[in-house]
Amino acid sequence: MSVQSAIKRKTAPDIRARKNGEPIVMLTSYHAHTAALVDRYCDVILVGDSLGNVMHGFETTVPVTLDMMILQGHAVMRGSKHALVVVDMPFGSYEASKEQAFHSAVRILKETHCGAVKLEGGARMAETVAFLSERGVPVMGHIGLTPQSINTLGSFRAQGRDEGSWDPILKDAQAISDAGAFSVVIEAVAEPLARKITETISIPTIGIGASAACDGQVLVLEDMLGLSPRTPKFVRRYGNLGPAIEAAIEGYASDVRSRAFPGPEHVYEMKKS
């Protein structure tokens, strides 16, 4: 009998168990190659609908389709081995009914082999989160600034900066936690409110423009690397690859035009007889 040692990925219960423990590290990825890099250092890889902005140049995430998310989710799964891969459910794929959400989530899980899905919304989505969780779909919530709602919000602005507006956001967080989500992203929320949510609910919070007190943090990889032309206040750049990449492209174009590339070492000679 042969003994096979399989590489075990992190699971939604593994992340759920990190509440008040070692901080959860999460980044986005949309490609197999970047997934392989991110996988070495992160607990969770998010295949975010931000791919609409990063890959396709959309102004918002609203145009992103379920097929687009599945295609890139499959690529990230092929490139990674250890991290829990979470795929965003795009706008229009889950809001109509809990049954629609279940069918969309099943497609994502079956066609990408990922470990969980993420959806936006608080109390209004609690019934859907519970419906999915009860049927074997691990759900990551997303409250605060919800980019898929940009057409009703009017702009990407931080939430909860007036203490009088805290109550609905607190109720959103509690509702998602009570519904059975294994974690929740808190985006662009005033620091004291994000801290209070983290102290109050029983599931891990993952901050993006929230608080260092959150149980984890997430950023869009391209924002962090300086590849995005505009980034929110909450982004810290850990590199500035944009100018370096432009310089590399300029050098390539110059070499092609001067016929310095390809050189003898880049072409194939005839076989010697």
Side-chain angles (χ1 to χ4, degrees), residues 176-191:
I176 292 298
S177 178
D178 292 345
F182 70 91
S183 61
V184 61
V185 170
I186 305 176
E187 180 168 358
V189 164
E191 196 282 334

Side-chain angles (χ1 to χ4, degrees), residues 129-148:
V129 171
F131 188 84
L132 296 180
S133 299
E134 289 164 1
R135 285 159 179 79
V137 179
V139 180
M140 176 180 285
H142 185 147
I143 63 167
L145 174 62
T146 49
Q148 291 177 10

Side-chain angles (χ1 to χ4, degrees), residues 32 126 227 245 266 271:
L227 293 172
I245 290 174
H266 305 121
K271 288 184 178 179

Side-chain angles (χ1 to χ4, degrees), residues 1-6:
M1 179 184 295
S2 63
V3 178
Q4 296 181 347
S5 58

Side-chain angles (χ1 to χ4, degrees), residues 26-31 46-65 68-69 72 86-91 118 120 142 147-148 156 187 208 218-223 228:
M26 179 167 154
L27 280 172
T28 64
S29 174
Y30 321 108
H31 327 88
L46 174 65
V47 186
D49 59 1
S50 49
L51 66 83
N53 312 102
V54 172
M55 294 182 64
H56 298 277
F58 297 145
E59 290 186 2
T60 73
T61 61
V62 171
V64 174
T65 67
M68 290 164 67
M69 295 307 307
Q72 304 312 138
V86 179
V87 176
D88 262 340
M89 298 183 70
F91 179 73
K118 181 170 77 65
E120 294 183 4
H142 185 147
Q148 291 177 10
F156 294 105
E187 180 168 358
I208 177 166
V218 62
L219 285 176
V220 172
L221 181 65
E222 285 77 4
D223 289 351
S228 301

Side-chain angles (χ1 to χ4, degrees), residues 2-273:
S2 63
V3 178
Q4 296 181 347
S5 58
I7 297 173
K8 187 178 184 299
R9 283 184 183 271
K10 289 182 173 66
T11 64
D14 291 333
I15 301 305
R16 171 66 180 81
R18 296 276 286 274
K19 180 68 180 179
N20 298 323
E22 182 184 1
I24 299 160
V25 181
M26 179 167 154
L27 280 172
T28 64
S29 174
Y30 321 108
H31 327 88
H33 297 310
T34 56
L37 293 172
V38 170
D39 189 57
R40 299 174 195 171
Y41 304 99
C42 291
D43 304 299
V44 183
I45 300 176
L46 174 65
V47 186
D49 59 1
S50 49
L51 66 83
N53 312 102
V54 172
M55 294 182 64
H56 298 277
F58 297 145
E59 290 186 2
T60 73
T61 61
V62 171
V64 174
T65 67
L66 188 60
D67 286 339
M68 290 164 67
M69 295 307 307
I70 289 171
L71 180 66
Q72 304 312 138
H74 196 190
V76 168
M77 282 297 294
R78 289 196 300 272
S80 61
K81 298 184 186 305
H82 305 288
L84 170 67
V85 174
V86 179
V87 176
D88 262 340
M89 298 183 70
F91 179 73
S93 70
Y94 62 93
E95 296 91 342
S97 68
K98 57 186 185 294
E99 291 80 11
Q100 181 205 26
F102 178 73
H103 290 303
S104 296
V106 166
R107 271 202 68 195
I108 291 172
L109 293 177
K110 281 181 174 289
E111 296 181 38
T112 70
H113 303 166
C114 73
V117 299
K118 181 170 77 65
L119 56 77
E120 294 183 4
R124 66 182 175 85
M125 295 308 304
E127 184 181 359
T128 295
V129 171
F131 188 84
L132 296 180
S133 299
E134 289 164 1
R135 285 159 179 79
V137 179
V139 180
M140 176 180 285
H142 185 147
I143 63 167
L145 174 62
T146 49
Q148 291 177 10
S149 302
I150 184 59
N151 288 327
T152 53
L153 292 174
S155 65
F156 294 105
R157 61 181 184 274
Q159 309 291 299
R161 300 186 76 176
D162 176 353
E163 195 166 349
S165 66
W166 280 21
D167 191 55
I169 303 173
L170 285 165
K171 287 180 177 176
D172 280 344
Q174 193 63 61
I176 292 298
S177 178
D178 292 345
F182 70 91
S183 61
V184 61
V185 170
I186 305 176
E187 180 168 358
V189 164
E191 196 282 334
L193 174 56
R195 183 180 293 269
K196 183 176 178 63
I197 291 170
T198 301
E199 293 169 350
T200 301
I201 66 174
S202 62
I203 60 174
T205 59
I206 299 175
I208 177 166
S211 172
C214 289
D215 297 292
Q217 301 294 327
V218 62
L219 285 176
V220 172
L221 181 65
E222 285 77 4
D223 289 351
M224 186 195 77
L225 295 178
L227 293 172
S228 301
R230 298 190 306 274
T231 57
K233 169 189 169 124
F234 54 70
V235 173
R236 176 187 290 178
R237 287 189 175 179
Y238 288 84
N240 197 13
L241 300 185
I245 290 174
E246 184 173 357
I249 295 169
E250 182 183 14
Y252 165 74
S254 175
D255 284 352
V256 169
R257 291 189 175 110
S258 67
R259 299 193 184 277
F261 176 83
E265 69 274 27
H266 305 121
V267 297
Y268 298 95
E269 300 175 349
M270 292 291 291
K271 288 184 178 179
K272 294 179 181 178
S273 56

